[in-house]
Every structure is written in structure tokens, then in C-alpha cells.
Amino acid sequence: MPRISVTVDGVTYEDDVEPRLLLVYYLRERLGLTGTNVGCDTSNCGACTVLFNGRSAKSCTILAAQADGAEITTIQGLARNGEWHPLQKAFNTEHGLQCGYCTPGMIMSSVDLLEQNPDPSEEEIRHGLEGNLCRCTGYQNIVKAVQTAAAEARQEVTS
């Protein structure tokens, strides 16, 4: 059984893992980080998206053993000192969620998108979130939330 050392939301864990254990189940069942959802289990919906070494990745496509040495951020690791991440705030204020099931994956993909492109157009946001599905069809408010968070981040940089 492979032994891994992985840093999740700033905490380092060392565990023996089954070779076929998917990262999403390691996060949810071993570490109790249930904010990362299991949607389709086939990488189609993006509900399981996390940051894997700083880039968005669908944790249902990664074996826990492949995460050895990696740094992972989940939706639960975004908030700092009791304060929501700007994207979490924007999803709340802009009503970028309906049932909320896709929200963790949407936010994690948006974090990566804004890291790569701090001033994306609407089209670039829609393209950047293509791998994440909202079954409630709330895309307009999701895009608006990403635009709001991006604008606030740019404003903080200039002030």
C-alpha cells in the first residue's frame, strides 16, 4: 500500500492509501473535507475540482497515490481567518449558486482562471468554466460573480 505525504489546506498528512483510491474520496472520507463534492465520478461535471499544486484539477481523475508531495487546496481551505475568499463572497452576493452542488468546483476553477487571467472577458470566463456543469443553469449569475470578484481584486491592487 503506497504511503503518501500531502499538504491539504495548509496541513500536511501522511497516510497509507489503497492504490485505486481516488483523491476525491481521500479528501472526503479520510480527511473529512466534504466541501469537495462527488458529482458524476467521470470528470464530466467538475463538482470535485480542487487546486492541485495551484492549478484546478478534477479530483475524481487523480489517484490519491498520485498526490504524494502535492499541495492541495479545497473549497474549505480558501477562507482565511474566518473571512470568505473574494470569490466565495461574490458567489454569495451575486447569487452565483442555486442548489449549490456545483459551487465548490465552480469557485475552485474560477480561482485558477483569475490567477491566470485577472481581467477575463465574459467569453473567457465561460470558456474557463467549460468543464464545470451547473444543472440548475445558473450560469449567468456565476459569470457575474466571477466578474465581480475580478473587479474587486483589480480595485484592491490599484488602491
Side-chain angles (χ1 to χ4, degrees), residues 51-102:
L51 296 181
F52 189 94
N53 292 329
R55 299 300 312 263
S56 64
K58 295 176 180 175
S59 60
C60 76
T61 63
I62 301 169
L63 296 170
Q66 292 174 303
D68 185 36
E71 186 168 322
I72 296 165
T73 304
T74 71
I75 189 73
Q76 290 165 268
L78 280 184
R80 297 281 184 238
N81 302 321
E83 290 285 324
W84 281 354
H85 185 278
L87 274 161
Q88 290 171 308
K89 289 179 189 173
F91 269 69
N92 182 41
T93 59
E94 301 298 339
H95 307 288
L97 50 95
Q98 291 182 26
C99 80
Y101 205 81
C102 70

Side-chain angles (χ1 to χ4, degrees), residues 1-158:
M1 192 174 310
R3 183 159 187 83
I4 64 169
S5 175
V6 61
T7 301
V8 181
D9 297 339
V11 177
T12 301
Y13 299 89
E14 292 194 20
D15 277 309
D16 295 322
V17 296
E18 292 289 333
R20 293 182 296 171
L21 178 65
L22 293 173
L23 180 59
V24 67
Y25 292 108
Y26 176 75
L27 296 171
R28 291 180 57 81
E29 295 172 4
R30 285 275 186 97
L31 304 184
L33 297 171
T34 55
T36 302
N37 289 327
V38 177
C40 63
D41 237 355
T42 59
S43 80
N44 288 316
C45 75
C48 65
T49 302
V50 297
L51 296 181
F52 189 94
N53 292 329
R55 299 300 312 263
S56 64
K58 295 176 180 175
S59 60
C60 76
T61 63
I62 301 169
L63 296 170
Q66 292 174 303
D68 185 36
E71 186 168 322
I72 296 165
T73 304
T74 71
I75 189 73
Q76 290 165 268
L78 280 184
R80 297 281 184 238
N81 302 321
E83 290 285 324
W84 281 354
H85 185 278
L87 274 161
Q88 290 171 308
K89 289 179 189 173
F91 269 69
N92 182 41
T93 59
E94 301 298 339
H95 307 288
L97 50 95
Q98 291 182 26
C99 80
Y101 205 81
C102 70
T103 305
M106 289 284 187
I107 290 175
M108 300 311 287
S109 292
S110 298
V111 169
D112 187 23
L113 171 67
L114 295 182
E115 282 291 319
Q116 303 302 313
N117 181 359
D119 190 14
S121 66
E122 178 178 340
E123 182 180 339
E124 290 168 327
I125 293 170
R126 291 183 183 279
H127 179 71
L129 297 177
E130 277 181 349
N132 295 79
L133 300 178
C134 171
R135 294 179 183 154
C136 304
T137 67
Y139 293 103
Q140 186 56 42
N141 286 348
I142 290 169
V143 169
K144 190 174 171 185
V146 176
Q147 290 172 321
T148 297
E152 288 179 14
R154 287 191 307 273
Q155 194 171 27
E156 285 181 18
V157 169
T158 57

